[in-house]
């Protein structure tokens, strides 16, 4: 192991929307000396990586963008991935952030040293960096999940996950198996189906896939507001409030869910004439249980003559294709895994060790938890963006901005109080988590019938925020000193703010 490469006042891990939000909040707070360690060779996070055909946001771009960087003309309501990447590059340039980023630098471990109040960060390349403040912005959807089907390694054709799309594989005229029908598959299947000879779609459960027009920000008025530069703030507010209305209706008018399910079945009846196929595509769980999917093309694609839906579970992968549990084997040229990610494995595979040598893995044995999704007791001066229970029904960028502001406020408190470190009080975290879990237990996602990636194997929901976005904004409006224990240090690592700052 090399010697420490030196101390940096603030280290951010990851340069997706979260790391960028954090860097901008730091600059606004007058912080100039920070680094962003990014494992890949460019900025962008999930939008850099998910290059599959049809990749686009499914929250309208006017709100799926930074509040402070609205001077951007989106070509369409749900911007395609390349446009989002261009936007991210423009924001990074506008705020002159590239000089802060160290690319190809993956953090492997971080250990807090109580004596010096410093985090010792180890990278995969063997570099060591010391920092008083460590901020994780590693995201929720960056570890892919591929089911461990027997024989997977023996397949002689091409196989890849949708988040690592292999653009060298020519799919035209080929027989292709797609495994999974989640948010990514709903986007790429309609794009590749017209090009392939045959497409087998292996689904575990059908999904509620709804037309774009019912999502906030897609109406005539929205389009009008978004066309006018001076009205963009209003356009965003309208979309924001429409999302809040979803949350209100979920809580206070749950019977509307039944109306939504009935509407979905009616739409299926109109689109799918074949009753056998329709039955295969009708979910047997409540709407709202899984992530809401959006597409105008999904069901039209599924009735194409070259598309077949298979709901018999997969038994194994053979050298030439896939065998299902009924013994049937289908030869294919390529297998595409649209099998998603492992969002409940927060921060994995990083090893984070806090006070008393306690690892996050140990602290999170029952499931990941953090005060406001940001701070964990026993892990001082360690903060997270998109941490546990912050996945809300709104644009995630809004949530990231709330977290970034709050963390910048914590750093300000460390400086003004001349503190060595701040540690969220255990009872504050426990009270917060008990409240969040109680509120989540009343949601549709908590129902045992509801199998979703939001949940851990033990049934605990560790990803979702139970309330309104404005409530989260309110609760993160500033750090409350009484929530934290501030520990003094003779010579604090962070200098007090300069006079007048
Ligand atoms: C295909 C797809 C579509 C989505 N669409 C929407 C949408 O429409 N609306 C919405 O609100 N949300 C959407 N999301 C959720 C999305 O994850 C967030 O909106 C947002 O991009 C999160 O940004 P982030 O920076 O927190 O995480 P990420 O974008 O995942 O960025 C994390 C960064 O950290 C880096 N990193 C990870 N581990 C390490 C490490 N150990 N060391 C160094 N660097 C590391 C990664 O390389 C990456 O660059 C989507 C997600 C996916 C996968």
């Amino acid at each position: 192991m090399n010697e420490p490469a030196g101390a940096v006042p603030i280290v951010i891990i990851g340069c997706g929307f979260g790391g960028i939000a954090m860097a901008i909040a730091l600059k606004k707070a007058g912080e100039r000396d920070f680094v962003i360690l990014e494992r890949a060779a460019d900025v962008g996070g999930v939008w850099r990586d998910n290059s599959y055909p049809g990749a686009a946001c499914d929250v309208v771009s006017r709100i799926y963008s930074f509040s402070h960087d609205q001077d951007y003309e989106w070509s369409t309501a749900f911007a395609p991935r390349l446009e989002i990447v261009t936007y991210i590059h423009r924001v990074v340039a506008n705020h002159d952030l590239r000089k802060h980023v160290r690319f190809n630098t993956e953090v492997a471990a971080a250990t807090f040293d109580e004596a010096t109040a410093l985090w010792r960060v180890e990278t995969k390349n063997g570099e060591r960096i010391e920092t008083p403040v460590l901020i994780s912005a590693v995201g929720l959807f960056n570890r892919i999940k591929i089911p461990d089907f027997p024989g997977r390694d023996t397949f002689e054709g091409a196989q890849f996950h949708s988040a690592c799309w292999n653009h060298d594989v020519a799919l035209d005229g080929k027989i292709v198996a797609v495994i999974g029908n989640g948010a990514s598959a709903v986007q790429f299947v309609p794009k590749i189906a017209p090009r392939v000879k045959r497409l087998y779609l292996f689904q575990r459960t059908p999904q509620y896939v709804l037309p774009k027009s019912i999502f906030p920000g897609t109406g005539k008025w929205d389009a009008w507001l978004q066309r006018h530069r001076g009205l963009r703030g209003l356009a965003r507010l309208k979309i924001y409030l429409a999302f809040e209305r979803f949350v209100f209706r979920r809580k206070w008018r749950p019977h509307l869910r039944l109306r939504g399910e009935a509407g979905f079945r009616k739409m299926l009846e109109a689109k799918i004439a074949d009753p056998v196929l329709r039955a295969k595509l009708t979910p047997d769980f409540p709407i709202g249980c899984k992530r809401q999917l959006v597409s105008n093309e999904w069901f039209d694609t599924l009735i194409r003559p070259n598309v077949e839906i298979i709901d018999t579970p997969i038994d194994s992968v053979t050298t030439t294709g896939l065998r299902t549990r009924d013994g049937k084997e289908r030869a294919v040229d390529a297998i595409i895994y649209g099998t998603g990610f492992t969002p409940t494995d927060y921060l994995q595979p990083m090893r984070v060790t806090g006070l008393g040598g306690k690892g996050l893995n140990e602290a999170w044995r029952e499931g990941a938890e953090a005060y406001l999704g940001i701070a964990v007791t026993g892990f001082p001066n360690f903060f997270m963006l998109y941490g546990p229970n912050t996945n809300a029904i709104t644009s995630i960028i809004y949530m990231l901005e709330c977290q970034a502001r709050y963390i910048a406020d914590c750093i300000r408190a460390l400086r003004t109080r001349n503190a060595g470190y701040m540690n969220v009080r255990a009872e504050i975290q426990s009270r917060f988590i008990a409240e969040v879990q109680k509120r989540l237990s009343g949601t549709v996602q908590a129902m045992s019938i509801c199998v979703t990636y939001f949940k851990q194997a033990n049934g605990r929901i560790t990803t979702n925020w139970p309330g309104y976005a404005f409530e989260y904004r309110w609760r993160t409006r500033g750090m409350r000193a009484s929530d934290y224990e501030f520990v003094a240090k003779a010579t604090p690592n962070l200098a007090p703010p300069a006079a007048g700052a």
Side-chain angles (χ1 to χ4, degrees):
M1 186 67 65
N2 301 334
E3 282 306 299
V8 180
I10 302 163
V11 168
I12 302 169
I13 313 171
C15 200
F17 270 118
I20 294 167
M22 191 66 242
I24 293 170
L26 288 179
K27 287 189 80 166
K28 276 193 183 149
E31 301 286 348
R32 292 284 172 267
D33 201 1
F34 59 89
V35 296
I36 309 176
L37 306 179
E38 169 53 57
R39 69 179 176 194
D42 203 354
V43 300
V46 297
W47 299 106
R48 176 197 62 227
D49 297 338
N50 286 264
S51 64
Y52 59 77
C57 53
D58 51 21
V59 165
V60 167
S61 298
R62 188 48 62 203
I63 193 162
Y64 191 66
S65 48
F66 286 117
S67 60
H68 39 70
D69 282 83
Q70 283 299 306
D71 191 16
Y72 196 92
E73 209 69 60
W74 298 101
S75 66
T76 168
F78 299 92
R81 173 226 169 214
L82 269 181
E83 215 174 312
I84 301 173
V85 171
T86 306
Y87 172 77
I88 291 174
H89 283 198
R90 193 185 287 184
V91 171
V92 167
N94 284 350
H95 297 269
D96 196 16
L97 298 183
R98 221 167 251 278
K99 65 182 184 205
H100 292 275
V101 192
R102 280 196 215 162
F103 292 108
N104 303 308
T105 307
E106 178 168 353
V107 173
T111 306
F112 186 70
D113 178 51
E114 199 174 348
T116 56
L118 289 172
W119 282 95
R120 296 186 196 288
V121 179
E122 292 170 31
T123 72
K124 251 190 155 172
N125 316 332
E127 193 185 350
R128 282 168 64 186
I129 301 159
E130 289 184 338
T131 181
V133 178
L134 182 62
I135 303 169
S136 165
V138 299
L140 203 58
F141 299 100
N142 63 55
R143 293 163 303 281
I144 61 171
K145 182 174 74 189
I146 299 186
D148 199 13
F149 298 122
R152 201 160 60 77
D153 296 340
T154 65
F155 181 61
E156 288 167 358
Q159 52 178 335
F160 52 85
H161 188 278
S162 59
C164 323
W165 196 272
N166 185 343
H167 293 275
D168 295 335
V169 177
L171 297 173
D172 300 64
K174 296 282 166 43
I175 304 177
V176 176
V178 172
I179 303 177
N181 58 351
S184 300
V186 160
Q187 292 187 335
F188 72 76
V189 167
K191 300 297 172 213
I192 63 169
R195 292 164 38 200
V196 303
K197 183 173 169 196
R198 186 147 198 81
L199 192 148
Y200 296 118
L201 177 67
F202 291 84
Q203 72 167 31
R204 217 163 38 175
T205 49
Q207 298 269 17
Y208 288 101
V209 183
L210 301 175
K212 288 179 174 173
S213 57
I214 72 152
F215 285 83
T218 53
K220 237 178 24 212
W221 272 107
D222 297 285
W224 186 83
L225 284 172
Q226 289 175 50
R227 263 201 306 276
H228 297 84
R229 189 170 283 208
L231 297 179
R232 280 180 189 158
L234 207 54
R236 271 173 69 88
L237 180 67
K238 184 171 178 298
I239 303 166
Y240 178 82
L241 293 176
F243 274 112
E244 297 290 68
R245 190 161 155 257
F246 271 156
V247 181
F248 174 86
R249 295 209 310 194
R250 236 181 221 198
K251 179 154 175 59
W252 299 106
R253 309 194 65 193
H255 61 280
L256 289 179
R257 174 163 64 75
L258 300 177
R259 219 196 272 172
E261 289 166 14
F264 175 81
R265 284 194 296 271
K266 209 163 152 206
M267 188 256 299
L268 261 193
E269 250 174 60
K271 286 222 174 254
I272 316 276
D274 174 3
V276 177
L277 179 60
R278 207 184 318 133
K280 271 187 186 179
L281 295 175
T282 306
D284 61 356
F285 51 84
I287 203 165
C289 158
K290 298 182 188 236
R291 182 171 171 196
Q292 194 53 68
L293 304 185
V294 39
S295 171
N296 288 347
E297 305 159 287
W298 181 242
F299 293 111
D300 294 331
T301 302
L302 300 189
I303 53 173
R304 290 179 61 90
N306 68 335
V307 174
E308 185 183 340
I309 296 174
I310 296 146
D311 57 2
T312 312
I314 295 170
D315 170 70
S316 53
V317 179
T318 67
T319 52
T320 54
L322 287 153
R323 188 180 299 121
T324 39
R325 287 210 197 134
D326 54 7
K328 219 168 164 179
E329 195 171 326
R330 291 172 179 86
V332 300
D333 299 304
I335 302 175
I336 304 172
Y337 296 91
T339 40
F341 304 85
T342 57
T344 53
D345 294 346
Y346 278 94
L347 307 193
Q348 296 292 333
M350 271 193 305
R351 297 185 311 280
V352 181
T353 309
L355 290 174
K358 193 170 181 180
L360 260 186
N361 281 351
E362 200 187 326
W364 285 353
R365 218 169 328 184
E366 297 299 313
E369 60 173 60
Y371 177 53
L372 299 171
I374 296 174
V376 187
T377 186
F379 296 80
N381 292 5
F382 174 67
F383 306 100
M384 282 176 288
L385 289 105
Y386 213 177
N389 295 109
T390 61
N391 200 38
I393 302 178
T394 189
S395 161
I396 292 306
I397 297 174
Y398 177 81
M399 302 296 279
L400 296 173
E401 286 189 43
C402 294
Q403 290 143 18
R405 264 190 301 253
Y406 181 90
I407 297 168
D409 203 35
C410 290
I411 296 170
R412 198 176 299 125
L414 278 170
R415 285 195 187 280
T416 50
R417 289 165 176 259
N418 271 331
Y421 62 78
M422 59 192 288
N423 185 22
V424 64
R425 294 183 187 280
E427 67 277 14
I428 295 290
Q429 181 175 317
S430 304
R431 203 183 311 147
F432 173 79
I433 294 301
E435 179 212 322
V436 164
Q437 288 300 327
K438 184 161 175 243
R439 289 169 68 183
L440 285 168
S441 69
T443 63
V444 74
Q445 286 146 9
M447 292 163 79
S448 55
I449 190 176
C450 189
V451 181
T452 158
Y453 66 72
F454 300 142
K455 262 187 201 170
Q456 297 198 138
N458 63 6
R460 194 179 161 108
I461 302 172
T462 54
T463 51
N464 288 2
W465 172 246
Y468 298 98
F470 84 80
E471 181 198 344
Y472 189 77
R473 172 72 187 97
W474 175 251
R475 292 175 85 154
T476 53
R477 69 194 180 280
M479 189 272 314
R480 211 169 40 194
S482 56
D483 290 346
Y484 290 83
E485 171 198 15
F486 285 85
V487 176
K489 187 169 178 279
T491 326
N493 298 313
L494 292 175

